[in-house]
Amino acid sequence: MQPFTTLTAVAAPLDIAKLDTGMIVPGRFQRLPRRPGHNDYAHVFLHDLRFDEQEQPRAQFVLNQSAYQNAGILVTGPDFGCGSSRESAAYATLDFGVRALIGASFGDVYRGNCMQNGVLTIVLPPDIVNSLMRQLQSQPGTTMTVDLPQQTVTAPDGTQHNFDIDATRKERLLKGLDDVGVTLQYLPQIEAFEARYRTDMPWLKHLI
């Protein structure tokens, strides 16, 4: 996955509480294939909020407004990503171009899936999240900065807010490592073990 260090991007306010994974990616899109190097899930991110029954963009929805298009940061309502554990919700978030989510709370499984795919989720106190929402709503198209090494969020008004993150999650995001990537760091040792194993116990190949 792509490493995450410092991100400065347009931020959009998504002030909807308990927006679950079924809304992030509606069930009818669950079998959509995902190809390396393609943003296959970008179109289905928040699909039924972004588009009407005729597949026309809903003009009033925040992410369809010109000032917030190409947003790389979302400030979300509480419990964003609650509900079922579909990993496609994290795929869609990333494929849409969002690399950081800031909110008072997130669904636990969704948050883990986002971190595993290179999307940083930041939990801040509700009053700070509400302040960020107001600033983004009053200054459409403004940017925010997320600094993972320093663990800070810089608001549109320049105020910095510190956030906590698990040390292991932080290291993996900085290095761009998911679970497979962590395992592949030990590939020479794994290959050496397998070669030695085959040499010491050649009879095992007849049991496979």
Side-chain angles (χ1 to χ4, degrees), residues 4-64:
F4 190 114
T5 51
T6 301
L7 171 68
T8 297
V10 170
L14 194 55
D15 194 8
I16 304 173
K18 298 186 182 298
L19 204 160
D20 65 28
T21 53
M23 290 299 294
I24 296 173
V25 176
R28 64 187 181 278
F29 298 115
Q30 288 306 303
R31 295 191 179 186
L32 187 69
R34 190 165 189 256
R35 300 162 296 171
H38 293 77
N39 297 328
D40 295 304
Y41 276 77
H43 179 70
V44 303
F45 179 63
L46 300 173
H47 183 276
D48 294 350
L49 294 175
R50 293 169 54 212
F51 301 99
D52 63 20
E53 292 77 7
Q54 286 73 47
E55 286 291 311
Q56 296 302 306
R58 300 181 189 271
Q60 74 278 13
F61 187 63
V62 60
L63 294 181
N64 290 336

Side-chain angles (χ1 to χ4, degrees), residues 118-208:
V119 178
L120 174 61
T121 58
I122 298 169
V123 175
L124 293 176
D127 60 324
I128 293 177
V129 174
N130 291 336
S131 173
L132 295 175
M133 287 274 191
R134 290 193 297 270
Q135 292 179 54
L136 296 177
Q137 289 163 349
S138 65
Q139 303 174 60
T142 193
T143 63
M144 292 177 56
T145 297
V146 174
D147 186 327
L148 179 56
Q150 298 301 316
Q151 296 180 211
T152 59
V153 169
T154 303
D157 65 3
T159 305
Q160 285 195 338
H161 305 284
N162 297 315
F163 64 88
D164 295 324
I165 183 172
D166 175 81
T168 299
R169 290 286 192 194
K170 178 178 180 178
E171 181 182 15
R172 291 187 178 191
L173 283 165
L174 288 171
K175 294 180 178 179
L177 296 173
D178 57 12
D179 286 346
V180 174
V182 170
T183 302
L184 289 177
Q185 291 183 109
Y186 301 94
L187 184 60
Q189 296 95 314
I190 294 170
E191 291 176 334
F193 170 82
E194 290 181 340
R196 186 173 64 252
Y197 202 70
R198 286 191 294 268
T199 299
D200 294 345
M201 291 176 278
W203 50 271
L204 281 177
K205 67 181 180 180
H206 300 297
L207 302 178
I208 300 176

